[in-house]
């Protein structure tokens, strides 16, 4: 039992000793530094994995027991030229390193930690913000800022709902527009969706002026559908103007340069293979890479040949000039809705046209089955042959209908009933609204003559 306790103690001390190192890429000096908390020595990386001692530093409020193993540190600029914020991932710890005083000072008093691993941190108006991250077995969309008066992290409450997750996507604060961009976010929770991860292809912005989140649209580029595939490694950077997304797709590396303000995407292919080779793994090729300002720094270090390396620096603007324009980063949902509406209206129009044509054809076919009876045929023949001026008189029509022996009232009713049915059939057959015209008699305006419509007469003429 005692031996086990000694072994555990030794392992604990070994882990803690290993953990007591702070290493960071300084955004102001554009170099990699590290501090050994035990020896309190500051070193600078001269070449990959080669370090040069600078000098001894003083510590203020720094406890090596608060620095877990493999802790990542992010550097952010302060409002002083010789100082840098150092933010410890997952812990909410905030440090300031003063290059002039050679002092490392912890300035936070927070206790809570563990929810914001790989979160997005940035400085706005000399205030540190932290959005999203991973912890407690799920990704989150929490928004916090560091309050120097209380030395604590305070929740930032937006006026509406944030995206479901802010994690491992394209995230960055635009000083020009004073908004935070967020898109292509990875969501995971042990208690939701049967522990399956999902990708949100929406692209959002949070305005610090209005405190509102707004969905700008949907990311619909094929390149983005490829890079979110499981197993695809990628590096994503933000330089306050462009998102730079670097990934490998055989046979070479590819770099997407994304301008969210102009909603443009450019693709730069590493055809000369200056960023790596096809036979080396992604992990070894991209062991050290970062973006500061307009420059993409890429350091290749092969683990089997650590003495061989190449340090490259590329202008993102120059890469963009030789890149291929792919199109828009996102498409507005309203635009999609308009497209859907137009398609729907078009389909309705096509179906309506087809329906009416079919109905017309059906009517025409039905008209072919409408036949005149013997009396109607006899009247029709008389109307066709009797085209003299004045038309067919009522007395003549009575004779054809053989109703001359009826009373005047009965004659009028029988004539009216016959003409009503007769005109309906002629209307259906010849598609004319007035198949029979009434012409007043020249001798007695009270008397009417009946004449076939000229359209019917033309069609009824023998060929």
């Amino acid at each position: 039992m005692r031996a086990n306790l000694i072994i555990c103690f030794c392992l604990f001390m070994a882990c803690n000793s290993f953990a007591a190192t702070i290493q960071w890429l300084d955004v102001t000096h554009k170099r990699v530094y590290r501090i050994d908390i035990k020896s309190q020595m500051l070193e600078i990386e001269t070449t990959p994995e080669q370090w040069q001692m600078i000098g001894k530093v003083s510590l203020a409020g720094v406890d090596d027991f608060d620095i877990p193993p493999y802790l990542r540190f992010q550097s952010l600029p302060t409002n002083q030229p010789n100082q840098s914020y150092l933010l410890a991932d997952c812990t909410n710890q905030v440090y300031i390193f003063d290059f002039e005083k050679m002092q490392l000072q912890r300035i936070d008093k927070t206790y809570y930690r563990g929810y914001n691993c790989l979160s997005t941190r940035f400085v706005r108006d000399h205030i540190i913000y932290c959005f999203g991250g991973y912890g407690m077995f799920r990704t989150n969309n929490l928004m916090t800022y560091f309050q120097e008066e209380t030395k604590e992290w305070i929740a930032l409450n937006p006026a509406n709902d944030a995206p479901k997750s802010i994690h491992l996507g394209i995230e960055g604060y635009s000083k020009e527009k004073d908004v935070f961009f967020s898109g292509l976010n990875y969501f995971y929770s042990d208690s939701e969706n049967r522990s399956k991860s999902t990708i949100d292809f929406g692209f959002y912005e949070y305005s610090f002026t209005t405190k509102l989140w707004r969905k700008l649209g949907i990311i619909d580029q094929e390149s983005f559908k490829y890079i979110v595939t499981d197993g695809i490694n990628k590096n994503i950077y933000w330089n306050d103007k462009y998102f730079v997304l670097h990934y490998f797709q055989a046979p070479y590396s590819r770099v997407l340069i994304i301008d969210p303000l102009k909603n443009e995407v450019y693709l730069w292919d590493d055809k000369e293979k200056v960023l790596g080779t096809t036979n080396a793994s992604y992990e070894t090729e991209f062991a050290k890479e970062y973006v500061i300002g307009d420059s993409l720094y890429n350091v290749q270090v092969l683990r089997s040949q650590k003495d061989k390396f190449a340090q490259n620096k590329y202008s993102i603007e120059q890469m963009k000039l030789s890149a291929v324009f792919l199109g828009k980063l996102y498409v507005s949902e309203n635009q999609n809705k308009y497209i859907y509406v137009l398609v729907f209206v078009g389909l309705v129009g096509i179906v309506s046209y087809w329906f009416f044509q079919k109905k017309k054809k059906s009517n025409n076919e039905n008209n072919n089955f409408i036949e005149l009876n013997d009396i109607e045929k006899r009247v029709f023949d008389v109307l066709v042959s009797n085209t003299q001026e004045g038309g067919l008189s009522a007395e003549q029509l009575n004779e054809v209908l053989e109703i001359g022996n009826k009373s005047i009232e009965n004659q009028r009713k029988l004539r009216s009933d016959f003409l009503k049915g007769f005109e309906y059939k002629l209307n259906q057959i010849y598609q004319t609204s007035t198949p029979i015209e009434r012409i007043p008699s020249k001798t007695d305006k009270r008397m009417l003559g009946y004449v076939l419509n000229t359209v019917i007469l033309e069609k009824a003429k023998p060929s």
Side-chain angles (χ1 to χ4, degrees), residues 242-271:
Y242 300 118
F243 288 108
V244 180
L245 201 155
H246 188 188
Y247 63 102
F248 183 82
Q249 185 177 11
Y252 34 66
S253 298
R254 317 190 89 177
V255 177
L256 291 174
I257 302 172
I258 305 161
D259 188 335
L261 294 179
K262 295 182 178 179
N263 191 19
E264 296 177 345
V265 180
Y266 296 83
L267 174 63
W268 183 82
D269 284 330
D270 183 19
K271 296 181 180 179

PDB file of all heavy atoms in Angstrom, residues 242-271:
ATOM      1  N   TYR A 242     -10.144  38.245 -43.379  1.00  0.00           N
ATOM      2  CA  TYR A 242     -10.425  36.991 -44.070  1.00  0.00           C
ATOM      3  C   TYR A 242     -10.427  35.825 -43.085  1.00  0.00           C
ATOM      4  O   TYR A 242      -9.667  35.807 -42.107  1.00  0.00           O
ATOM      5  CB  TYR A 242      -9.361  36.687 -45.126  1.00  0.00           C
ATOM      6  CG  TYR A 242      -9.220  37.704 -46.219  1.00  0.00           C
ATOM      7  CD1 TYR A 242      -8.026  38.400 -46.391  1.00  0.00           C
ATOM      8  CD2 TYR A 242     -10.264  37.976 -47.104  1.00  0.00           C
ATOM      9  CE1 TYR A 242      -7.868  39.338 -47.400  1.00  0.00           C
ATOM     10  CE2 TYR A 242     -10.121  38.908 -48.112  1.00  0.00           C
ATOM     11  CZ  TYR A 242      -8.921  39.594 -48.250  1.00  0.00           C
ATOM     12  OH  TYR A 242      -8.784  40.518 -49.244  1.00  0.00           O
ATOM     13  N   PHE A 243     -11.275  34.848 -43.391  1.00  0.00           N
ATOM     14  CA  PHE A 243     -11.102  33.514 -42.830  1.00  0.00           C
ATOM     15  C   PHE A 243     -10.173  32.764 -43.781  1.00  0.00           C
ATOM     16  O   PHE A 243     -10.375  32.783 -44.996  1.00  0.00           O
ATOM     17  CB  PHE A 243     -12.438  32.771 -42.712  1.00  0.00           C
ATOM     18  CG  PHE A 243     -13.333  33.293 -41.632  1.00  0.00           C
ATOM     19  CD1 PHE A 243     -14.477  34.022 -41.942  1.00  0.00           C
ATOM     20  CD2 PHE A 243     -13.040  33.058 -40.297  1.00  0.00           C
ATOM     21  CE1 PHE A 243     -15.295  34.510 -40.948  1.00  0.00           C
ATOM     22  CE2 PHE A 243     -13.859  33.540 -39.290  1.00  0.00           C
ATOM     23  CZ  PHE A 243     -14.993  34.274 -39.615  1.00  0.00           C
ATOM     24  N   VAL A 244      -9.167  32.121 -43.212  1.00  0.00           N
ATOM     25  CA  VAL A 244      -8.227  31.324 -44.007  1.00  0.00           C
ATOM     26  C   VAL A 244      -8.386  29.885 -43.557  1.00  0.00           C
ATOM     27  O   VAL A 244      -8.118  29.555 -42.392  1.00  0.00           O
ATOM     28  CB  VAL A 244      -6.783  31.805 -43.810  1.00  0.00           C
ATOM     29  CG1 VAL A 244      -5.825  30.962 -44.643  1.00  0.00           C
ATOM     30  CG2 VAL A 244      -6.664  33.272 -44.190  1.00  0.00           C
ATOM     31  N   LEU A 245      -8.838  29.037 -44.456  1.00  0.00           N
ATOM     32  CA  LEU A 245      -9.136  27.653 -44.122  1.00  0.00           C
ATOM     33  C   LEU A 245      -8.218  26.747 -44.938  1.00  0.00           C
ATOM     34  O   LEU A 245      -8.308  26.702 -46.161  1.00  0.00           O
ATOM     35  CB  LEU A 245     -10.609  27.368 -44.419  1.00  0.00           C
ATOM     36  CG  LEU A 245     -11.246  26.186 -43.707  1.00  0.00           C
ATOM     37  CD1 LEU A 245     -12.744  26.381 -43.607  1.00  0.00           C
ATOM     38  CD2 LEU A 245     -10.944  24.890 -44.410  1.00  0.00           C
ATOM     39  N   HIS A 246      -7.314  26.062 -44.255  1.00  0.00           N
ATOM     40  CA  HIS A 246      -6.277  25.247 -44.907  1.00  0.00           C
ATOM     41  C   HIS A 246      -6.572  23.767 -44.654  1.00  0.00           C
ATOM     42  O   HIS A 246      -6.749  23.348 -43.517  1.00  0.00           O
ATOM     43  CB  HIS A 246      -4.914  25.627 -44.325  1.00  0.00           C
ATOM     44  CG  HIS A 246      -3.763  24.988 -45.043  1.00  0.00           C
ATOM     45  ND1 HIS A 246      -2.475  25.072 -44.594  1.00  0.00           N
ATOM     46  CD2 HIS A 246      -3.705  24.245 -46.179  1.00  0.00           C
ATOM     47  CE1 HIS A 246      -1.668  24.422 -45.414  1.00  0.00           C
ATOM     48  NE2 HIS A 246      -2.417  23.911 -46.378  1.00  0.00           N
ATOM     49  N   TYR A 247      -6.633  22.992 -45.730  1.00  0.00           N
ATOM     50  CA  TYR A 247      -6.890  21.564 -45.598  1.00  0.00           C
ATOM     51  C   TYR A 247      -6.183  20.826 -46.726  1.00  0.00           C
ATOM     52  O   TYR A 247      -5.668  21.440 -47.672  1.00  0.00           O
ATOM     53  CB  TYR A 247      -8.395  21.267 -45.616  1.00  0.00           C
ATOM     54  CG  TYR A 247      -9.088  21.643 -46.905  1.00  0.00           C
ATOM     55  CD1 TYR A 247      -9.421  20.688 -47.866  1.00  0.00           C
ATOM     56  CD2 TYR A 247      -9.441  22.971 -47.171  1.00  0.00           C
ATOM     57  CE1 TYR A 247     -10.058  21.027 -49.038  1.00  0.00           C
ATOM     58  CE2 TYR A 247     -10.083  23.325 -48.347  1.00  0.00           C
ATOM     59  CZ  TYR A 247     -10.388  22.357 -49.280  1.00  0.00           C
ATOM     60  OH  TYR A 247     -11.023  22.698 -50.450  1.00  0.00           O
ATOM     61  N   PHE A 248      -6.131  19.522 -46.615  1.00  0.00           N
ATOM     62  CA  PHE A 248      -5.469  18.709 -47.636  1.00  0.00           C
ATOM     63  C   PHE A 248      -6.516  17.888 -48.376  1.00  0.00           C
ATOM     64  O   PHE A 248      -7.352  17.215 -47.777  1.00  0.00           O
ATOM     65  CB  PHE A 248      -4.437  17.773 -47.002  1.00  0.00           C
ATOM     66  CG  PHE A 248      -3.674  16.970 -48.017  1.00  0.00           C
ATOM     67  CD1 PHE A 248      -2.592  17.524 -48.685  1.00  0.00           C
ATOM     68  CD2 PHE A 248      -4.033  15.669 -48.324  1.00  0.00           C
ATOM     69  CE1 PHE A 248      -1.880  16.793 -49.627  1.00  0.00           C
ATOM     70  CE2 PHE A 248      -3.341  14.928 -49.261  1.00  0.00           C
ATOM     71  CZ  PHE A 248      -2.255  15.496 -49.916  1.00  0.00           C
ATOM     72  N   GLN A 249      -6.465  17.973 -49.697  1.00  0.00           N
ATOM     73  CA  GLN A 249      -7.335  17.172 -50.554  1.00  0.00           C
ATOM     74  C   GLN A 249      -6.496  16.723 -51.741  1.00  0.00           C
ATOM     75  O   GLN A 249      -6.032  17.553 -52.518  1.00  0.00           O
ATOM     76  CB  GLN A 249      -8.547  17.977 -51.025  1.00  0.00           C
ATOM     77  CG  GLN A 249      -9.551  17.151 -51.835  1.00  0.00           C
ATOM     78  CD  GLN A 249     -10.775  17.956 -52.233  1.00  0.00           C
ATOM     79  OE1 GLN A 249     -10.815  19.178 -52.092  1.00  0.00           O
ATOM     80  NE2 GLN A 249     -11.802  17.275 -52.718  1.00  0.00           N
ATOM     81  N   ALA A 250      -6.249  15.431 -51.810  1.00  0.00           N
ATOM     82  CA  ALA A 250      -5.330  14.889 -52.809  1.00  0.00           C
ATOM     83  C   ALA A 250      -5.618  15.480 -54.190  1.00  0.00           C
ATOM     84  O   ALA A 250      -6.777  15.662 -54.577  1.00  0.00           O
ATOM     85  CB  ALA A 250      -5.443  13.368 -52.856  1.00  0.00           C
ATOM     86  N   PRO A 251      -4.548  15.893 -54.903  1.00  0.00           N
ATOM     87  CA  PRO A 251      -3.144  15.557 -54.635  1.00  0.00           C
ATOM     88  C   PRO A 251      -2.347  16.647 -53.931  1.00  0.00           C
ATOM     89  O   PRO A 251      -1.137  16.528 -53.807  1.00  0.00           O
ATOM     90  CB  PRO A 251      -2.601  15.354 -56.051  1.00  0.00           C
ATOM     91  CG  PRO A 251      -3.353  16.343 -56.871  1.00  0.00           C
ATOM     92  CD  PRO A 251      -4.729  16.420 -56.273  1.00  0.00           C
ATOM     93  N   TYR A 252      -2.993  17.749 -53.448  1.00  0.00           N
ATOM     94  CA  TYR A 252      -2.211  18.794 -52.813  1.00  0.00           C
ATOM     95  C   TYR A 252      -3.051  19.535 -51.775  1.00  0.00           C
ATOM     96  O   TYR A 252      -4.242  19.281 -51.610  1.00  0.00           O
ATOM     97  CB  TYR A 252      -1.655  19.793 -53.841  1.00  0.00           C
ATOM     98  CG  TYR A 252      -2.542  20.058 -55.020  1.00  0.00           C
ATOM     99  CD1 TYR A 252      -3.767  20.698 -54.868  1.00  0.00           C
ATOM    100  CD2 TYR A 252      -2.170  19.655 -56.293  1.00  0.00           C
ATOM    101  CE1 TYR A 252      -4.588  20.936 -55.948  1.00  0.00           C
ATOM    102  CE2 TYR A 252      -2.989  19.886 -57.392  1.00  0.00           C
ATOM    103  CZ  TYR A 252      -4.196  20.524 -57.208  1.00  0.00           C
ATOM    104  OH  TYR A 252      -5.015  20.757 -58.292  1.00  0.00           O
ATOM    105  N   SER A 253      -2.382  20.464 -51.096  1.00  0.00           N
ATOM    106  CA  SER A 253      -3.067  21.288 -50.104  1.00  0.00           C
ATOM    107  C   SER A 253      -3.940  22.326 -50.788  1.00  0.00           C
ATOM    108  O   SER A 253      -3.654  22.752 -51.915  1.00  0.00           O
ATOM    109  CB  SER A 253      -2.051  21.999 -49.209  1.00  0.00           C
ATOM    110  OG  SER A 253      -1.283  21.079 -48.490  1.00  0.00           O
ATOM    111  N   ARG A 254      -4.983  22.729 -50.080  1.00  0.00           N
ATOM    112  CA  ARG A 254      -5.886  23.748 -50.607  1.00  0.00           C
ATOM    113  C   ARG A 254      -6.145  24.782 -49.515  1.00  0.00           C
ATOM    114  O   ARG A 254      -6.204  24.445 -48.332  1.00  0.00           O
ATOM    115  CB  ARG A 254      -7.206  23.141 -51.085  1.00  0.00           C
ATOM    116  CG  ARG A 254      -7.054  21.867 -51.872  1.00  0.00           C
ATOM    117  CD  ARG A 254      -8.335  21.425 -52.543  1.00  0.00           C
ATOM    118  NE  ARG A 254      -8.444  22.013 -53.872  1.00  0.00           N
ATOM    119  CZ  ARG A 254      -9.436  21.749 -54.717  1.00  0.00           C
ATOM    120  NH1 ARG A 254     -10.408  20.938 -54.355  1.00  0.00           N
ATOM    121  NH2 ARG A 254      -9.479  22.290 -55.911  1.00  0.00           N
ATOM    122  N   VAL A 255      -6.291  26.029 -49.926  1.00  0.00           N
ATOM    123  CA  VAL A 255      -6.553  27.114 -48.982  1.00  0.00           C
ATOM    124  C   VAL A 255      -7.782  27.879 -49.464  1.00  0.00           C
ATOM    125  O   VAL A 255      -7.804  28.382 -50.598  1.00  0.00           O
ATOM    126  CB  VAL A 255      -5.348  28.069 -48.868  1.00  0.00           C
ATOM    127  CG1 VAL A 255      -5.682  29.231 -47.933  1.00  0.00           C
ATOM    128  CG2 VAL A 255      -4.116  27.330 -48.353  1.00  0.00           C
ATOM    129  N   LEU A 256      -8.798  27.943 -48.624  1.00  0.00           N
ATOM    130  CA  LEU A 256      -9.972  28.765 -48.895  1.00  0.00           C
ATOM    131  C   LEU A 256      -9.778  30.121 -48.233  1.00  0.00           C
ATOM    132  O   LEU A 256      -9.484  30.200 -47.037  1.00  0.00           O
ATOM    133  CB  LEU A 256     -11.241  28.109 -48.356  1.00  0.00           C
ATOM    134  CG  LEU A 256     -11.713  26.830 -49.048  1.00  0.00           C
ATOM    135  CD1 LEU A 256     -12.890  26.229 -48.294  1.00  0.00           C
ATOM    136  CD2 LEU A 256     -12.097  27.105 -50.494  1.00  0.00           C
ATOM    137  N   ILE A 257      -9.921  31.177 -49.011  1.00  0.00           N
ATOM    138  CA  ILE A 257      -9.833  32.540 -48.495  1.00  0.00           C
ATOM    139  C   ILE A 257     -11.237  33.129 -48.544  1.00  0.00           C
ATOM    140  O   ILE A 257     -11.826  33.275 -49.618  1.00  0.00           O
ATOM    141  CB  ILE A 257      -8.845  33.382 -49.321  1.00  0.00           C
ATOM    142  CG1 ILE A 257      -7.457  32.726 -49.300  1.00  0.00           C
ATOM    143  CG2 ILE A 257      -8.767  34.812 -48.787  1.00  0.00           C
ATOM    144  CD1 ILE A 257      -6.459  33.366 -50.236  1.00  0.00           C
ATOM    145  N   ILE A 258     -11.786  33.436 -47.381  1.00  0.00           N
ATOM    146  CA  ILE A 258     -13.202  33.796 -47.260  1.00  0.00           C
ATOM    147  C   ILE A 258     -13.325  35.237 -46.781  1.00  0.00           C
ATOM    148  O   ILE A 258     -12.773  35.603 -45.739  1.00  0.00           O
ATOM    149  CB  ILE A 258     -13.912  32.853 -46.257  1.00  0.00           C
ATOM    150  CG1 ILE A 258     -13.705  31.394 -46.680  1.00  0.00           C
ATOM    151  CG2 ILE A 258     -15.379  33.199 -46.134  1.00  0.00           C
ATOM    152  CD1 ILE A 258     -13.943  30.412 -45.556  1.00  0.00           C
ATOM    153  N   ASP A 259     -14.024  36.034 -47.531  1.00  0.00           N
ATOM    154  CA  ASP A 259     -14.303  37.425 -47.157  1.00  0.00           C
ATOM    155  C   ASP A 259     -15.769  37.512 -46.744  1.00  0.00           C
ATOM    156  O   ASP A 259     -16.662  37.591 -47.591  1.00  0.00           O
ATOM    157  CB  ASP A 259     -14.032  38.361 -48.340  1.00  0.00           C
ATOM    158  CG  ASP A 259     -14.123  39.836 -47.951  1.00  0.00           C
ATOM    159  OD1 ASP A 259     -14.825  40.136 -46.969  1.00  0.00           O
ATOM    160  OD2 ASP A 259     -13.507  40.676 -48.632  1.00  0.00           O
ATOM    161  N   PRO A 260     -16.063  37.508 -45.432  1.00  0.00           N
ATOM    162  CA  PRO A 260     -17.474  37.503 -45.008  1.00  0.00           C
ATOM    163  C   PRO A 260     -18.181  38.829 -45.260  1.00  0.00           C
ATOM    164  O   PRO A 260     -19.403  38.855 -45.410  1.00  0.00           O
ATOM    165  CB  PRO A 260     -17.388  37.198 -43.508  1.00  0.00           C
ATOM    166  CG  PRO A 260     -16.029  37.681 -43.105  1.00  0.00           C
ATOM    167  CD  PRO A 260     -15.132  37.461 -44.288  1.00  0.00           C
ATOM    168  N   LEU A 261     -17.428  39.944 -45.304  1.00  0.00           N
ATOM    169  CA  LEU A 261     -18.057  41.235 -45.540  1.00  0.00           C
ATOM    170  C   LEU A 261     -18.561  41.347 -46.983  1.00  0.00           C
ATOM    171  O   LEU A 261     -19.626  41.905 -47.233  1.00  0.00           O
ATOM    172  CB  LEU A 261     -17.072  42.369 -45.242  1.00  0.00           C
ATOM    173  CG  LEU A 261     -16.636  42.507 -43.777  1.00  0.00           C
ATOM    174  CD1 LEU A 261     -15.659  43.650 -43.630  1.00  0.00           C
ATOM    175  CD2 LEU A 261     -17.828  42.729 -42.867  1.00  0.00           C
ATOM    176  N   LYS A 262     -17.792  40.807 -47.919  1.00  0.00           N
ATOM    177  CA  LYS A 262     -18.200  40.837 -49.322  1.00  0.00           C
ATOM    178  C   LYS A 262     -18.914  39.554 -49.736  1.00  0.00           C
ATOM    179  O   LYS A 262     -19.376  39.448 -50.878  1.00  0.00           O
ATOM    180  CB  LYS A 262     -16.981  41.048 -50.217  1.00  0.00           C
ATOM    181  CG  LYS A 262     -16.312  42.395 -50.039  1.00  0.00           C
ATOM    182  CD  LYS A 262     -15.141  42.560 -51.003  1.00  0.00           C
ATOM    183  CE  LYS A 262     -14.501  43.925 -50.863  1.00  0.00           C
ATOM    184  NZ  LYS A 262     -13.337  44.093 -51.780  1.00  0.00           N
ATOM    185  N   ASN A 263     -18.976  38.582 -48.815  1.00  0.00           N
ATOM    186  CA  ASN A 263     -19.623  37.299 -49.101  1.00  0.00           C
ATOM    187  C   ASN A 263     -18.977  36.626 -50.319  1.00  0.00           C
ATOM    188  O   ASN A 263     -19.657  36.244 -51.277  1.00  0.00           O
ATOM    189  CB  ASN A 263     -21.122  37.491 -49.325  1.00  0.00           C
ATOM    190  CG  ASN A 263     -21.879  36.173 -49.362  1.00  0.00           C
ATOM    191  OD1 ASN A 263     -21.390  35.143 -48.896  1.00  0.00           O
ATOM    192  ND2 ASN A 263     -23.073  36.184 -49.932  1.00  0.00           N
ATOM    193  N   GLU A 264     -17.647  36.474 -50.257  1.00  0.00           N
ATOM    194  CA  GLU A 264     -16.894  35.891 -51.358  1.00  0.00           C
ATOM    195  C   GLU A 264     -15.973  34.785 -50.855  1.00  0.00           C
ATOM    196  O   GLU A 264     -15.448  34.858 -49.744  1.00  0.00           O
ATOM    197  CB  GLU A 264     -16.046  36.964 -52.057  1.00  0.00           C
ATOM    198  CG  GLU A 264     -16.859  38.056 -52.735  1.00  0.00           C
ATOM    199  CD  GLU A 264     -15.986  39.138 -53.341  1.00  0.00           C
ATOM    200  OE1 GLU A 264     -14.772  39.204 -53.004  1.00  0.00           O
ATOM    201  OE2 GLU A 264     -16.508  39.934 -54.147  1.00  0.00           O
ATOM    202  N   VAL A 265     -15.779  33.777 -51.702  1.00  0.00           N
ATOM    203  CA  VAL A 265     -14.896  32.662 -51.382  1.00  0.00           C
ATOM    204  C   VAL A 265     -13.933  32.441 -52.546  1.00  0.00           C
ATOM    205  O   VAL A 265     -14.349  32.387 -53.704  1.00  0.00           O
ATOM    206  CB  VAL A 265     -15.684  31.357 -51.121  1.00  0.00           C
ATOM    207  CG1 VAL A 265     -14.724  30.213 -50.783  1.00  0.00           C
ATOM    208  CG2 VAL A 265     -16.680  31.553 -49.992  1.00  0.00           C
ATOM    209  N   TYR A 266     -12.633  32.309 -52.218  1.00  0.00           N
ATOM    210  CA  TYR A 266     -11.586  32.049 -53.215  1.00  0.00           C
ATOM    211  C   TYR A 266     -10.855  30.766 -52.835  1.00  0.00           C
ATOM    212  O   TYR A 266     -10.671  30.467 -51.644  1.00  0.00           O
ATOM    213  CB  TYR A 266     -10.595  33.213 -53.280  1.00  0.00           C
ATOM    214  CG  TYR A 266     -11.200  34.513 -53.743  1.00  0.00           C
ATOM    215  CD1 TYR A 266     -11.868  35.351 -52.848  1.00  0.00           C
ATOM    216  CD2 TYR A 266     -11.121  34.905 -55.065  1.00  0.00           C
ATOM    217  CE1 TYR A 266     -12.436  36.548 -53.263  1.00  0.00           C
ATOM    218  CE2 TYR A 266     -11.681  36.109 -55.499  1.00  0.00           C
ATOM    219  CZ  TYR A 266     -12.336  36.921 -54.589  1.00  0.00           C
ATOM    220  OH  TYR A 266     -12.895  38.096 -55.004  1.00  0.00           O
ATOM    221  N   LEU A 267     -10.428  30.027 -53.839  1.00  0.00           N
ATOM    222  CA  LEU A 267      -9.710  28.768 -53.613  1.00  0.00           C
ATOM    223  C   LEU A 267      -8.309  28.874 -54.199  1.00  0.00           C
ATOM    224  O   LEU A 267      -8.131  29.143 -55.396  1.00  0.00           O
ATOM    225  CB  LEU A 267     -10.462  27.607 -54.264  1.00  0.00           C
ATOM    226  CG  LEU A 267      -9.748  26.249 -54.219  1.00  0.00           C
ATOM    227  CD1 LEU A 267      -9.566  25.776 -52.784  1.00  0.00           C
ATOM    228  CD2 LEU A 267     -10.515  25.214 -55.031  1.00  0.00           C
ATOM    229  N   TRP A 268      -7.312  28.674 -53.337  1.00  0.00           N
ATOM    230  CA  TRP A 268      -5.910  28.661 -53.755  1.00  0.00           C
ATOM    231  C   TRP A 268      -5.392  27.229 -53.622  1.00  0.00           C
ATOM    232  O   TRP A 268      -5.401  26.657 -52.540  1.00  0.00           O
ATOM    233  CB  TRP A 268      -5.081  29.609 -52.894  1.00  0.00           C
ATOM    234  CG  TRP A 268      -3.639  29.716 -53.300  1.00  0.00           C
ATOM    235  CD1 TRP A 268      -3.124  30.476 -54.287  1.00  0.00           C
ATOM    236  CD2 TRP A 268      -2.534  29.024 -52.698  1.00  0.00           C
ATOM    237  NE1 TRP A 268      -1.755  30.328 -54.353  1.00  0.00           N
ATOM    238  CE2 TRP A 268      -1.364  29.432 -53.390  1.00  0.00           C
ATOM    239  CE3 TRP A 268      -2.410  28.115 -51.658  1.00  0.00           C
ATOM    240  CZ2 TRP A 268      -0.108  28.959 -53.069  1.00  0.00           C
ATOM    241  CZ3 TRP A 268      -1.152  27.626 -51.337  1.00  0.00           C
ATOM    242  CH2 TRP A 268      -0.019  28.047 -52.037  1.00  0.00           C
ATOM    243  N   ASP A 269      -4.956  26.661 -54.750  1.00  0.00           N
ATOM    244  CA  ASP A 269      -4.416  25.309 -54.755  1.00  0.00           C
ATOM    245  C   ASP A 269      -2.893  25.359 -54.706  1.00  0.00           C
ATOM    246  O   ASP A 269      -2.254  26.090 -55.473  1.00  0.00           O
ATOM    247  CB  ASP A 269      -4.863  24.552 -56.011  1.00  0.00           C
ATOM    248  CG  ASP A 269      -6.305  24.089 -55.924  1.00  0.00           C
ATOM    249  OD1 ASP A 269      -6.753  23.830 -54.788  1.00  0.00           O
ATOM    250  OD2 ASP A 269      -6.981  24.009 -56.951  1.00  0.00           O
ATOM    251  N   ASP A 270      -2.341  24.570 -53.808  1.00  0.00           N
ATOM    252  CA  ASP A 270      -0.888  24.504 -53.639  1.00  0.00           C
ATOM    253  C   ASP A 270      -0.297  23.548 -54.675  1.00  0.00           C
ATOM    254  O   ASP A 270       0.201  22.466 -54.341  1.00  0.00           O
ATOM    255  CB  ASP A 270      -0.574  24.054 -52.204  1.00  0.00           C
ATOM    256  CG  ASP A 270       0.918  24.032 -51.923  1.00  0.00           C
ATOM    257  OD1 ASP A 270       1.674  24.687 -52.662  1.00  0.00           O
ATOM    258  OD2 ASP A 270       1.324  23.334 -50.978  1.00  0.00           O
ATOM    259  N   LYS A 271      -0.347  23.960 -55.939  1.00  0.00           N
ATOM    260  CA  LYS A 271       0.096  23.080 -57.016  1.00  0.00           C
ATOM    261  C   LYS A 271       1.603  22.855 -57.014  1.00  0.00           C
ATOM    262  O   LYS A 271       2.079  21.833 -57.502  1.00  0.00           O
ATOM    263  CB  LYS A 271      -0.356  23.649 -58.365  1.00  0.00           C
ATOM    264  CG  LYS A 271      -1.872  23.685 -58.517  1.00  0.00           C
ATOM    265  CD  LYS A 271      -2.296  24.237 -59.863  1.00  0.00           C
ATOM    266  CE  LYS A 271      -3.824  24.251 -59.965  1.00  0.00           C
ATOM    267  NZ  LYS A 271      -4.291  24.795 -61.255  1.00  0.00           N
TER     268      LYS A 271
END
